[in-house]
Every structure is written in structure tokens, then in C-alpha cells.
Amino acid sequence: MTIDLHATSRRQLLFASGVMFAWAHMPKLARAEGRDPRLLVIVLRGALDGLAAVPPVGDPDWVRLRGDSALRLDGPTPALSLDNTFALNPAMPNLHRLYKSGEATILHAVSTPYRERSHFDGQDVLESGLPKPGAVDSGWLNRALSSLVPGDSVRRSQSGLAVGPVAPLVVRGSAPIMSWTPRRPANNEDTVMRLLELYRHTDPALAKVLEERLGLAAIAGAGPAVVSMDNKERDIGAAARVRAFFAQSAGSAAKFLARADGPRVGALSFDGWDTHANEGAMNGRLALLLGALDGAIATVKTESGEAWKETVVAIITEFGRTARVNGTEGTDHGTGTIAVLAGGALKGGRVISDWPGLADQMLYEQRDLKPTQDLRAALKGLLKDHLRVPDAALEASIFPGSKDVRPLEGLVG
Amino acid sequence: MASDSAIQTLLGLHRFGFGPRGDMPSVESADPRGLFLADLEKPPLLNDPALLGSAEAARAVETAKESRPLRRQRVPAVDRSAMPGPMQAENSSEPERTPEVAKRQRAPAPVKRMELFTLESQARFDKALSVDVGLTERLVWFWSNHFCVSAAKGLVRPYCGPLEREAIRPNVLGRFKDMLLAVESHPAMLIYLDNARSIGPNSPAGRNRSRGLNENLAREILELHTLGVRTVYTQADVTNFAKVITGWGMMPARQDSELGGEFYFNDRMHEPGPQTVLAKTYPDKGVEQGKDVLSDLARHPATARHIASKLAMHFVSDHPPEALVESLAKRFLETDGDLKEVTKTMLAAQESWDAPRTKIKRPSEWIIGCLRAGGVQSADLKTMGLSLTALGEPLWRPSSPKGFSDDSATWIDGIAQRVDIASRLSRGLPVEPPMAFDRVLGPLASEDTRRAIARAADRSQAMALLMMAPEFQRR
């Protein structure tokens, strides 16, 4: 695979001119004519139960399969109707509102090409964009960034963004990435300067990480979204902590992406979706997680401001879970699941699905929701129509081996 | 000029240990390999009388939760042969049970989960600070991450430390099979990966109730603990193996004042009948059926290869030389999984010493290294907790059963965070920076690093720069 690398990044220019921390203080670039798209990818690690998030309430086999834990329109915690077949988990009222206003699209019975059931291999395939798991060191989002020509607004903003202590694989690679973890301010600027000097002479990889991080710190300091919550945080309970963490991570990402001179693509991940026991789709653990995710989506909209109308958030997971409940009120690793797109740039309000049905003979290997669409089709469609990634790159370097998977058209616009 | 053996010794202390201590005379050895081989003769046990065994811990937590006295009731017949005792390594040197200990085991004083966790973390960190060479302690940390559980699941929390002390430590220089059996039958693992609630569909309990199989533990044993992902097993092997280990659970702590919290094989939950795993059929011998499968998994060539490659990745390089992995796997198979022999093979291999020092230390190993360099004797738990969380490696709390990642790419983004942490850790240390520098980095450091540290504005900054030096970050 060849990867198109544009060597002169702004970071190098800054070093050449001797300006160290000016990244955040550069004059704002004039917004390019026309579109200035943003793409934020949220990876849900652990395999989301797509059937519990977007229950197929119109499928005659649904209640038979899930029994008491099947969300229904007329159940004790009624699901929120989407169309004749599907409804949304009631923990997600914000997403429901966005769906109703055409700013959210759901893909159902979707999967990557991966057909085994290892989380870690599944996440490799999901994030690398390669058809098989293996030793991978770059993600499709990073390679998409590399493929954009300089001068394009996405590429010109030159870097991808990763939020969290560990950058998700999807955004790792040769295109520069700034990673950001909210932190308390520390009074150590002099030490940092000395280290940068040392690293520049002895260890360029460390120098790069440190310098990019410093540019980001300056932006985040500019507003109230990234505030330390350490003391109060402890008192507000685990559920609220999860909500606050999701909202803070997604909110700071949105804020970076919204800036005129900020990055245009970013990625972050949320853990905890591996619900083997006591899944709690109605009132328990999964409902809590979905609620936190719903809050994160709403926060992205708020923090994006005007940029929301040019934003797409893609929420993806490595695979789904078994169609039936297992012996411990949970679900084991499965195959087909959902993906959620949200953002003002979407032509939304649709569930896109070639629904296979839940009759026993329709289940994949007699146990999982059968995947009927390839997640890469939607991702290719987004990269092509939203970010304007060239067709050739989509197949050659971003999703190698995906020639038969046509980009899904009409997602944005 | 430093001698070759002095350089090799320092390199080894960073690569195979937690790094040198800045407050102790340099470890001198004309024979660096011999120094590390000798470390393998020290049993890595942690015998702190303040620490409770897993079952005691479970009962102590239970008594703390409820003021009502423990009582014996509804106790199913107990198959004592199924207790984890016999599954431990035969040579595991269990501390003698003094009368006091025995008494406490019967009636543990109430303790909250968090207190136990605090005691356990303190003991673990302080052990890593006190060892001189540190190879066996690094092995403990390696295996603890290989067989990880997570305190994020509240029920697991009191068991995290005991799992490591009871199932990992006695076996890191013993046989892999013994460690595997000890871990998979430990309540920590059985709870963490849901096996304690998995019920054979055709077992007496399964027929009476709507509950049933949970394949979580079986899958992760095959994928993560033994054979490795994408090797020789299928979905049918996962499901069948899950049936084999139905009934492997623990005695509820509140149900039995003596055996509560111990491993317990519940025949009523066990799927009856023979099961086929990896093309071999195992007759139903109750708990023995699962032990038989685990024994075979432990000596499978795919397991040898998986373990060899993880060890080489952990200690030597993100991309270890194939010859090294081959020789470790070969030794593993020749010795029926004798982990001491495998470790010796790693030390003997020239590749283990020649690999370039490019691997970024994992956050926890780096922090322990910082404290050792700074002459700290006992870790401050609050600082440890905040720092490890900020760097993405909270103690005994990995985000998935795969454990914390072991490659530099994962951790390099945390370098900026490490500056903040180093700035905090470097304040008020009981060492003189020049001496600490000579002992900790000395001939490993570049001239640039030496100069940067020598020109620091103050002692604290000098120590922070030492902790952040590329030669200290990488091993």
C-alpha cells in the first residue's frame, strides 16, 4: 500500500521560523470558499448490542428472541419510534430528536468484513480499514487525511485529533495527530522548554508528541468546556461520572474541530460495551452507557456551534452481540450491529438497512444478527462525499481490498 | 570510561527490572547475565501479614456489608477435592498458618473493599520499590497483566491483589500449567469473566431455571490466556469449552463462614456429558474435565508460541527478533512450560541484550522507575492513583481482558502527561541529582542528556529531566 505523505507540516514551518508555541495563536485562516467539513469518529469498544440500542420492534421474532428484555413501543420503558420496523432505546432522546430533524442516520444489520468474535481483532479491522486483522500501525481515518491534497480545507488544517490518554488506532498513522487529554495546569513551562530542546537533538519522536500537545493545550485553555472536575466529580455518583466523562471527551473534541484553524478530523473511544451479564438495556448498565453516549452527541452539537452544520459524527463498534439473551441476562459476542451517524451535514432521518429478519434460519451461524451491509460502504461514502477523499485513494490505501464495496451515496447533502 | 559490563548491567536493570535506585551504590557485576540469573533464585512471594487471602477478603467484605452474623445455611455438599489448593504449584511455599492466622480466617474482621484494595496496592508498589534487580517482580507484573482482571467490576476489587499473590507469584518461576489452573480457578477470574454464573443448559440447575451458558471466560482463555487469537480454535470449541467449565465458581461469602469466597465446583450447574475441544473428546469427570482441557491447552504449541512472543515483546522489543521468539517457544515446549527455564533462555540470548533501546516503558513501570531513581522507599498511593489514571494505566483496571497494551505506539502520546507527573514526583526527593544520574543513567545517557540535567535550574528540575530523558523513557 502506498501512502501519500505531504512532508511540510505547519509544525515544521513553525520550528523553522523559531516560533515554538504559536500554533494556537496563528492568525485564523480565512475559511475556504464553500464547505469546510468535519468528521469525528467515536469507537465503542467491547461490541455494542445493536439490537438493544435500535430494537427492531416491527420484527415478528423480536420479542420471541429477547423475551422480557426486548424493548417494545408499548413496554414498561417504551422505545422511541423511528419507522415501521425500528425504534430507538429510550435512553437516547437527543439522538431521537436529531433523527426527527434529519440530523441523524442509523445503519442497521451492518458489520465490518470481520467474521470471528475476538474484540481485539474486531477492533483492528474496524479501525485499520484492512479486511483482516493483523499487525497494523495505521487507521483508515489517518490514511484518509494523508490522501487529501494540500490546499483542501481538511488537509490544510494538517492534523488529526485524538482525545484520551491513548490515541485510537483509527486515527494513528503517518499523518500528524495531536492527542489531547484534559489535564490540570502545571507550572512547569521551563522544564517543558528544556525537554523540547533535548528531544529535538536526541529523540524526534518524543519531540513531536510534546510539541503537538502544547499547541492543543493553548486552545483548550481558551474556554470553559474543558474544566477540571476532580473534586465535585467524586460526589456525583458513578452514573453521572460516566455521563460527565463522555460529554467532556466528545465536547472538547467538538470544540477543537469547530475552530477555524483547528483539525478537521478526530477520533476518540468509549469502553464498556461488552455486556455479557445483566446487560440492562432498559434500566441497567447498557441504558446508562447509551444515555451517556446520547449526552455526548448533544454536547458535540452544542460545542460545535456554527460548525455543526458541517459536522458528521460516526459512531462505530467492532461487531454486535448474540441475537438471543445468554444464560446470564446478557449477550455474547456476535456479528451484525448498528452504526450511528449524527451531524448537521447529514441528509438524515433514516434507518438504512436491508433487514434480514430475526427468524431462526436467518440468524448468522444460528446465533447472531446477520450482517447485510458492509460498514465500509458507509464510511467510504462519508469520506468521498463529505471530506472529498479521491476515489482512487479509497480503494488503494484507505480501505484496501474493498473494491466490491461501493461507497454508500447520499449520506450528506 | 565505563566498562562494558557496567553498561550492560545498567541496560539490564532498565530492560529486565524497574531501573536502578538513585540512593543505592551502583549494582556492580562483572557478569551482568549472572546478576539476572541469580535474581531468578529469589522466590517472588509477598508475605505481608496485613494482607488477607482471597476468601478471607471476601468474607471480611461481607461482614462489613452486613452486621448480621455469618451463619451456615443451605450449604450444598462441598467437593473438597475441587478446591484450588491442589491446583496450585506443588512447590508453592504457602506461609505457615499460625494460630492467629487460622483464627482470623474463621472470623475475619469487617473490612471495606476499598481498604483491602489500598493495602494491596501499597504492598505491590512498595515491593517493586524495594527489590534490587527486579526481574522476578517484572515477571509478576507481566503475568498479572497477561491474566488480568479489572477492579472496575466492583465484586472483583477485593480479589485483584490476592489473585496476583495466590495464583501468579507462586508460579512465575514454575510451570505455566500450574499458573493457568490457579488463575482460571481463582474467584477473581471466575467473577470477572462471568463464569461463576454460567450454567450448563442440561445441568440440574439449568433445567430448572431460565439461566444458562456464558462463554466469556472460555473464549478469553483460548484467545488471550493460552492459544492466542486466530490460531487453532473455532466457535464450537469456545462453546464446548464453556460447557466444560460450567460449575466453576465460588462459594458465596455470606453462605459459609469457613469456605465462603473459596473456589467451589458446583456439580448442579455443570453441563453433563463428554465435550469435544480442539478435536479431542473429554469425558465428563466433573471438575477434572476442565482441568484436563486446561492441561492440554497449557502445552499446546500455539500456546508456547503465544507466550514466547508476548514475553519477547514485553522485555525486548515491540518487534522481537524471530530467532528469539522461536528459541523461547522451543524451550517452553521442551520443558513442559517451565517458566524459569524460558526466562533463562531469554537472558542467555544475545538478541535480548543487543536490541536497540527504543521501547517506551509502560506508565506504571516508568513511575516505579522514577521513584526508585529518586530514592523513594514507599509509594504515595494518591499520587500513584492520579498519575496512573492520567497516563491510561490505572492499577488492576485495564479496560478489557486483553490487559494493558505493551507497545510503544500506545504509550508515546502520554509523554506530555509524563512531564506534568515528573514535575510533581521530582519535588523534595532525598537524592543528589548528580549521584542519582550516575547510578541511574550514567553511561547510557547521551552527552545532550547529561548536559541538560547538569544545567538544570534546581534539583527538582534536574530530577524531572532525568525522569523524562529519552534514555530513561526507553528501555
Side-chain angles (χ1 to χ4, degrees):
Chain A
M1 165 191 355
T2 54
I3 286 167
D4 184 12
L5 237 192
H6 302 282
T8 311
S9 72
R10 187 181 328 158
R11 176 175 54 81
Q12 286 162 311
L13 293 174
L14 290 176
F15 271 129
S17 60
V19 182
M20 197 76 78
F21 302 111
W23 189 84
H25 308 297
M26 288 281 285
K28 287 184 182 174
L29 296 165
R31 192 165 283 203
E33 283 293 307
R35 301 166 63 254
D36 187 10
R38 277 87 164 166
L39 176 61
L40 176 64
V41 174
I42 299 181
V43 177
L44 306 183
R45 296 187 195 284
L48 165 67
D49 183 358
L51 290 170
V54 182
V57 293
D59 187 301
D61 291 301
W62 169 236
V63 173
R64 179 184 62 82
L65 268 182
R66 285 282 170 106
D68 289 344
S69 50
L71 278 158
R72 306 190 313 255
L73 292 175
D74 57 353
T77 45
L80 311 169
S81 179
L82 295 174
D83 62 16
N84 290 334
T85 309
F86 301 105
L88 186 63
N89 190 298
M92 307 194 81
N94 289 303
L95 180 60
H96 191 246
R97 236 186 328 273
L98 292 173
Y99 179 92
K100 288 290 173 197
S101 61
E103 296 165 279
T105 301
I106 287 160
L107 302 142
H108 216 320
V110 69
S111 82
T112 70
Y114 181 68
R115 285 294 174 279
E116 304 296 317
R117 296 188 182 85
S118 156
H119 288 305
F120 319 110
D121 275 359
Q123 288 168 26
D124 271 3
V125 171
L126 178 74
E127 296 183 72
S128 71
L130 305 182
K132 288 199 163 63
V136 273
D137 54 7
S138 71
W140 55 263
L141 189 57
N142 189 288
R143 296 195 302 274
L145 197 55
S146 292
S147 78
L148 294 167
V149 289
D152 179 283
S153 65
V154 178
R155 174 64 187 176
R156 194 194 52 222
S157 51
Q158 63 117 3
S159 289
L161 171 74
V163 174
V166 175
L169 174 64
V170 69
V171 74
R172 282 198 236 154
S174 53
I177 287 305
M178 306 174 288
S179 75
W180 164 251
T181 309
R183 63 167 185 176
R184 256 161 287 170
N187 189 17
N188 58 3
E189 277 167 37
D190 179 48
T191 304
V192 171
M193 297 290 289
R194 287 168 191 251
L195 276 175
L196 259 180
E197 181 70 16
L198 173 61
Y199 290 171
R200 285 167 66 197
H201 286 104
T202 59
D203 198 322
L206 294 185
K208 175 170 170 275
V209 172
L210 192 54
E211 202 272 333
E212 280 166 359
R213 172 59 197 280
L214 291 167
L216 289 182
I219 298 182
V226 184
V227 289
S228 163
M229 327 181 282
D230 42 9
N231 282 328
K232 276 181 206 139
E233 200 189 16
R234 228 162 281 144
D235 304 323
I236 53 182
R241 269 208 304 277
V242 173
R243 286 180 156 278
F245 171 73
F246 278 30
Q248 191 194 24
S249 305
S252 30
K255 203 165 147 180
F256 287 124
L257 295 181
R259 287 177 60 97
D261 61 348
R264 286 297 174 263
V265 303
L268 55 99
S269 64
F270 293 135
D271 298 328
W273 306 88
D274 192 20
T275 47
H276 280 282
N278 294 342
E279 178 164 302
M282 291 182 195
N283 299 306
R285 172 171 158 202
L286 185 59
L288 161 69
L289 285 167
L290 289 171
L293 181 63
D294 189 62
I297 296 169
T299 310
V300 170
K301 179 170 181 177
T302 314
E303 292 292 347
S304 296
E306 277 300 298
W308 172 253
K309 62 177 190 293
E310 302 194 88
T311 295
V312 173
V313 185
I315 302 170
I316 56 180
T317 188
E318 67 262 32
F319 44 70
R321 311 195 66 83
T322 46
R324 299 179 190 90
V325 175
N326 69 9
T328 54
E329 323 271 315
T331 46
D332 290 318
H333 301 182
T335 309
T337 185
I338 59 159
V340 175
L341 308 176
L346 289 166
K347 201 162 72 190
R350 299 178 286 161
V351 179
I352 300 176
S353 173
D354 174 12
W355 186 244
L358 295 174
D360 287 343
Q361 72 276 14
M362 291 312 297
L363 297 180
Y364 179 74
E365 295 186 346
Q366 291 89 53
R367 55 180 269 159
D368 308 335
L369 173 61
K370 183 179 185 172
T372 52
Q373 54 180 332
D374 192 316
L375 178 63
R376 292 174 299 175
L379 299 175
K380 286 169 83 170
L382 277 182
L383 294 180
K384 179 182 155 88
D385 294 341
H386 187 52
L387 297 193
R388 299 271 186 251
V389 170
D391 280 348
L394 281 178
E395 270 153 35
S397 64
I398 300 172
F399 291 104
S402 71
K403 215 162 104 191
D404 298 337
V405 183
R406 307 274 317 140
L408 185 57
E409 294 185 352
L411 287 172
V412 295
Chain B
M1 283 299 289
S3 68
D4 278 357
S5 67
I7 295 176
Q8 291 293 86
T9 303
L10 270 175
L11 181 149
L13 288 171
H14 285 279
R15 177 164 292 170
F16 304 118
F18 286 101
R21 284 194 65 92
D23 59 341
M24 307 275 271
S26 309
V27 183
E28 295 284 350
S29 176
D31 169 22
R33 272 194 186 80
L35 182 71
F36 293 93
L37 287 171
D39 197 49
L40 299 179
E41 301 309 317
K42 300 170 199 157
L45 299 180
L46 211 173
N47 296 326
D48 182 333
L51 302 177
L52 304 184
S54 54
E56 297 170 81
R59 295 194 296 269
V61 167
E62 205 50 54
T63 8
K65 271 199 291 200
E66 311 173 17
S67 50
R68 68 190 166 87
L70 290 168
R71 52 202 163 132
R72 297 192 65 136
Q73 53 172 16
R74 298 189 312 275
V75 182
V78 170
D79 173 5
R80 278 176 188 270
S81 68
M83 293 299 152
M87 302 177 84
Q88 300 266 358
E90 275 137 37
N91 62 355
S92 77
S93 42
E94 183 103 345
E96 276 194 29
R97 295 191 189 284
T98 63
E100 277 157 359
V101 172
K103 191 170 153 202
R104 194 182 57 209
Q105 280 173 339
R106 275 195 299 279
V111 192
K112 295 209 172 85
R113 282 179 194 173
M114 206 53 227
E115 295 168 34
L116 288 173
F117 195 83
T118 302
L119 284 171
E120 292 282 355
S121 335
Q122 189 79 57
R124 184 194 213 243
F125 291 139
D126 290 356
K127 174 89 175 171
L129 291 178
S130 71
V131 290
D132 50 3
V133 173
L135 170 58
T136 51
E137 202 57 22
R138 280 280 304 285
L139 286 167
V140 169
W141 286 36
F142 167 82
W143 286 108
S144 179
N145 191 53
H146 178 80
F147 287 116
C148 71
V149 295
S150 173
K153 202 164 189 168
L155 281 173
V156 174
R157 198 170 304 154
Y159 289 118
C160 294
L163 172 72
E164 193 173 292
R165 287 185 293 108
E166 297 165 356
I168 307 279
R169 285 186 182 276
N171 296 308
V172 295
L173 299 171
R175 284 196 195 283
F176 178 72
K177 182 186 87 168
D178 295 323
M179 194 186 313
L180 182 68
L181 289 172
V183 169
E184 310 304 357
S185 64
H186 197 280
M189 190 60 77
L190 294 166
I191 298 170
Y192 174 51
L193 292 179
D194 304 313
N195 205 72
R197 44 210 306 189
S198 180
I199 299 177
N202 299 306
S203 67
R207 287 199 307 271
N208 294 341
R209 296 202 270 167
S210 59
R211 304 177 68 87
L213 205 61
N214 183 313
E215 63 186 31
N216 203 8
L217 178 62
R219 177 183 304 283
E220 303 304 14
I221 290 177
L222 297 174
E223 176 181 330
L224 300 173
H225 298 168
T226 61
L227 305 172
V229 71
R230 272 174 282 133
T231 49
V232 292
Y233 61 93
T234 63
Q235 174 63 42
D237 291 320
V238 173
T239 309
N240 292 348
F241 184 29
K243 288 177 184 163
V244 167
I245 54 173
T246 44
W248 287 44
M250 66 178 268
M251 176 73 71
R254 84 173 64 131
Q255 212 166 72
D256 188 305
S257 59
E258 268 179 54
L259 297 170
E262 299 276 8
F263 173 82
Y264 169 57
F265 177 71
N266 188 336
D267 205 25
R268 289 179 46 76
M269 290 163 73
H270 181 67
E271 178 73 4
Q275 299 293 343
T276 302
V277 180
L278 297 183
K280 177 171 168 184
T281 301
Y282 295 84
D284 185 7
K285 296 186 284 175
V287 69
E288 294 301 321
Q289 191 182 24
K291 291 195 206 175
D292 289 346
V293 177
L294 286 172
S295 295
D296 286 342
L297 289 173
R299 56 169 64 95
H300 196 286
T303 301
R305 173 84 206 172
H306 183 209
I307 299 302
S309 129
K310 274 190 84 169
L311 271 170
M313 255 193 81
H314 180 71
F315 284 99
V316 179
S317 161
D318 285 348
H319 307 285
E322 180 55 29
L324 176 64
V325 176
E326 275 299 316
S327 65
L328 297 182
K330 183 161 163 279
R331 193 70 186 136
F332 186 101
L333 288 173
E334 279 167 4
T335 59
D336 197 16
D338 185 328
L339 298 176
K340 189 169 174 180
E341 287 305 315
V342 174
T343 310
K344 282 184 182 171
T345 304
M346 177 175 77
L347 291 174
Q350 196 54 38
E351 295 98 322
S352 306
W353 299 82
D354 288 350
R357 300 184 73 241
T358 50
K359 197 171 164 74
I360 304 256
K361 292 176 185 171
R362 251 198 323 229
S364 56
E365 296 155 8
W366 170 73
I367 293 179
I368 292 293
C370 290
L371 298 178
R372 289 171 64 91
V376 175
Q377 305 287 343
S378 179
D380 174 60
L381 282 188
K382 191 168 173 228
T383 306
M384 292 300 289
L386 289 172
S387 307
L388 288 172
T389 303
L391 294 176
E393 199 197 354
L395 177 63
W396 290 321
R397 221 182 171 96
S399 60
S400 86
K402 194 177 185 181
F404 293 108
S405 169
D406 214 353
D407 64 340
S408 305
T410 303
W411 303 113
I412 194 166
D413 287 325
I415 287 296
Q417 292 266 321
R418 292 191 190 193
V419 187
D420 295 350
I421 290 162
S423 301
R424 221 170 310 156
L425 295 179
S426 60
R427 287 182 208 132
L429 293 174
V431 287
E432 285 303 320
M435 190 170 285
F437 171 83
D438 284 342
R439 289 168 173 171
V440 174
L441 286 182
L444 294 180
S446 69
E447 194 45 41
D448 287 311
T449 296
R450 178 186 298 276
R451 202 166 34 224
I453 294 172
R455 290 178 183 171
D458 55 35
R459 285 180 187 172
S460 163
Q461 188 178 58
M463 289 307 292
L465 292 172
L466 186 158
M467 294 167 183
M468 292 308 298
E471 299 89 344
F472 192 83
Q473 292 292 334
R474 300 182 187 268
R475 56 158 59 111

